[in-house]
Amino acid sequence: MKILFVCTGNTCRSPMAEFLFNHLSSGTGHAARSAGIAAWTGDPISEGARQVLEQDYGIDASSHRARRVHEHQIEEADLVLTMNGQQQDHLKKLLPDLKAKILTLGEASGEPLVEIADPFGRDESVYRTTAAQIVTLVGKFLESLGQPSDRSE
């Protein structure tokens, strides 16, 4: 399954979700990418996100560069997972023919009321909380697909 994670700037939440999903789903045949609704193409991952991914999960995300979401990315994805309902609504209005495949990560994980707050510009502890929330939701999503994940990392 091809997953596209979408947030606003593609420097914090969606790249964290991309890297964590790919880490947790390794060997399952699933793959994730990420993009942002208002991304400045080429921006690096935020320092807080990079540090938490490296320190807590052993993931090197330094190569990440922000991408603005485009219709072809949504068409190619099997599922598009946003970080909150506002992003989901924006994409559904922009691409009504593709709205069936656009969910929040919370919805896809069986937690429809859960939204992932933007940690941008906050301290490392906020990024750490965001990453842990993403790990929990991604783990539940993988379980719903019948794929175990190792959430103990």
Side-chain angles (χ1 to χ4, degrees):
M1 176 176 282
K2 291 186 225 172
I3 307 295
L4 178 66
F5 289 102
V6 176
C7 70
T8 304
N10 193 223
T11 60
C12 300
R13 295 171 287 177
S14 61
M16 289 173 80
E18 171 189 356
F19 280 97
L20 289 165
F21 179 90
N22 287 334
H23 179 71
L24 293 170
S25 68
S26 178
T28 65
H30 302 306
R33 303 255 350 221
S34 65
I37 291 171
W40 289 96
T41 300
D43 276 358
I45 192 168
S46 69
E47 187 60 17
R50 187 199 63 74
Q51 286 180 354
V52 167
L53 288 173
E54 185 175 316
Q55 293 169 4
D56 295 4
Y57 302 95
I59 298 170
D60 179 6
S62 61
S63 64
H64 175 79
R65 294 297 175 263
R67 296 176 287 274
R68 186 176 292 251
V69 69
H70 291 285
E71 183 175 356
H72 69 87
Q73 295 165 311
I74 293 174
E75 288 171 344
E76 291 174 358
D78 296 310
L79 199 55
V80 177
L81 301 178
T82 65
M83 301 297 112
N84 62 43
Q86 184 179 3
Q87 295 156 352
Q88 177 190 36
D89 292 344
H90 175 80
L91 292 177
K92 284 183 171 186
K93 285 177 188 166
L94 195 65
L95 301 164
D97 293 343
L98 300 174
K99 68 182 179 181
K101 66 164 78 176
I102 303 169
L103 303 169
T104 66
L105 175 55
E107 288 174 333
S109 304
E111 301 283 344
L113 300 179
V114 175
E115 296 198 343
I116 300 171
D118 192 352
F120 185 75
R122 310 279 306 274
D123 66 39
E124 193 174 300
S125 68
V126 177
Y127 282 93
R128 189 162 275 114
T129 298
T130 299
Q133 185 180 29
I134 291 169
V135 165
T136 297
L137 293 175
V138 164
K140 288 180 178 185
F141 175 61
L142 287 169
E143 288 170 8
S144 77
L145 296 177
Q147 303 290 330
S149 67
D150 182 2
R151 289 190 280 169
S152 63
E153 298 185 28

